[in-house]
Amino acid sequence: MKRTFVLRRKQPPLFHSTPTKMISPKYSLTHYYLGLNTLSMAKRAPHIVNLYLDYTCPFSAKLYLKLFNTVIPYLQKKHPDGFQFVFVNALQPWHPNSILLGEFALAYAKLLRENPRGDEHESFWNFNKVVFENQQQFYDNANIKLNRNEIYEQIYDFVSKKLDLHVNKEKLLSELKIKEGGGEPTNDGNGATADVKYFTRYQRTVGVHVTPTVTIDGIVDSSVSSGSSEDELVQVFESKL
């Protein structure tokens, strides 16, 4: 008996595949909490914790400071290299200063990677700590009289009083400052624009819209909240082991 085979068009999946768990390795020297030397010596792959945070979001600040000051050091001591925390710049455009702080942070991280000293991730995460501890200095009404280029300079002057940035002021500002008009108008952005585009696209791709948002191994975990205590946060992460 002759059989007839009917070719059927493959139907597209009902859901998109799981989003990428980590940002580009390009940012590994700065945005990954565990440095590359640590990862190379690790006996197992760590759980990936993406922190989607905005610099002028009060709830992002509360969560970051709890994690950075207490939770992450505790987990690293009790479960060495068990978690790779990843800082994801989630810039919220309804606060214009968030964009400027994000540009500054990304330009700073870029220069740290271009001139590695071996402590790039520590420098970047300490920068974040200083900004979050003092974010009210950059709220919408705090520097309204300053123009864009002046705010970049304000950020450098303020942070550098509390932290050695290991980056020359003029070199960093040259990455950020927009040149005044003359001739044909341009809309090319600055040295941080490519990175801002990358993180914006990444954030949209994984469907993150609010800050803070935390994913553990690619899945949003709403139990990781700025209102949680340090002990509660530790319990959430340890439950993933």
Side-chain angles (χ1 to χ4, degrees):
M1 181 177 177
K2 187 176 181 180
R3 294 183 178 180
T4 302
F5 294 91
V6 179
L7 295 177
R8 298 183 182 276
R9 181 178 297 175
K10 185 178 181 180
Q11 295 297 316
L14 295 176
F15 301 99
H16 293 293
S17 60
T18 303
T20 303
K21 292 181 180 179
M22 293 180 74
I23 58 176
S24 168
K26 169 184 175 180
Y27 303 99
S28 59
L29 288 180
T30 49
H31 287 64
Y32 295 9
Y33 185 84
L34 296 180
L36 296 183
N37 290 336
T38 300
L39 288 176
S40 66
M41 300 294 291
K43 296 180 180 179
R44 60 180 179 176
H47 293 276
I48 307 304
V49 183
N50 277 2
L51 307 175
Y52 296 83
L53 305 176
D54 173 72
Y55 285 119
T56 63
C57 167
F59 306 104
S60 291
K62 289 180 181 179
L63 180 59
Y64 182 89
L65 295 174
K66 289 177 183 179
L67 293 174
F68 183 78
N69 292 333
T70 304
V71 176
I72 297 177
Y74 175 85
L75 292 172
Q76 181 63 4
K77 182 178 180 179
K78 189 174 181 182
H79 311 284
D81 310 333
F83 295 90
Q84 173 67 289
F85 287 84
V86 182
F87 190 95
V88 183
N89 294 90
L91 310 183
Q92 304 292 36
W94 47 84
H95 294 305
N97 281 347
S98 289
I99 306 301
L100 302 183
L101 282 162
E103 287 182 323
F104 188 100
L106 291 169
Y108 175 53
K110 174 184 174 183
L111 293 182
L112 287 175
R113 294 192 300 273
E114 290 177 353
N115 300 278
R117 294 163 39 95
D119 60 353
E120 291 73 38
H121 62 289
E122 294 176 5
S123 296
F124 181 73
W125 285 70
N126 282 324
F127 166 83
N128 295 336
K129 177 178 182 285
V130 170
V131 172
F132 280 126
E133 286 178 334
N134 300 277
Q135 65 178 189
Q136 292 185 5
Q137 300 290 327
F138 307 103
Y139 278 1
D140 291 346
N141 65 349
N143 52 13
I144 191 66
K145 294 183 180 181
L146 302 180
N147 64 38
R148 180 175 179 178
N149 288 341
E150 290 171 338
I151 292 176
Y152 295 138
E153 189 164 0
Q154 178 201 28
I155 298 168
Y156 187 98
D157 291 342
F158 184 88
V159 175
S160 62
K161 290 178 181 178
K162 300 179 179 295
L163 180 70
D164 186 353
L165 293 173
H166 305 301
V167 171
N168 177 267
K169 178 179 180 179
E170 293 306 316
K171 188 171 185 179
L172 180 50
L173 293 181
S174 68
E175 289 282 332
L176 294 164
K177 287 188 173 181
I178 304 297
K179 295 180 180 179
E180 293 187 16
E184 290 294 323
T186 60
N187 200 29
D188 299 329
N190 56 27
T193 299
D195 289 331
V196 170
K197 287 182 178 180
Y198 170 82
F199 278 95
T200 301
R201 289 168 178 164
Y202 182 89
Q203 181 182 348
R204 291 173 179 173
T205 299
V206 299
V208 171
H209 301 288
V210 298
T211 56
T213 293
V214 176
T215 63
I216 303 177
D217 297 327
I219 299 175
V220 174
D221 194 319
S222 57
S223 62
V224 181
S225 166
S226 62
S228 302
S229 69
E230 286 87 345
D231 288 341
E232 290 171 334
L233 292 170
V234 167
Q235 290 175 11
V236 171
F237 293 118
E238 288 188 325
S239 70
K240 308 301 179 182
L241 293 172

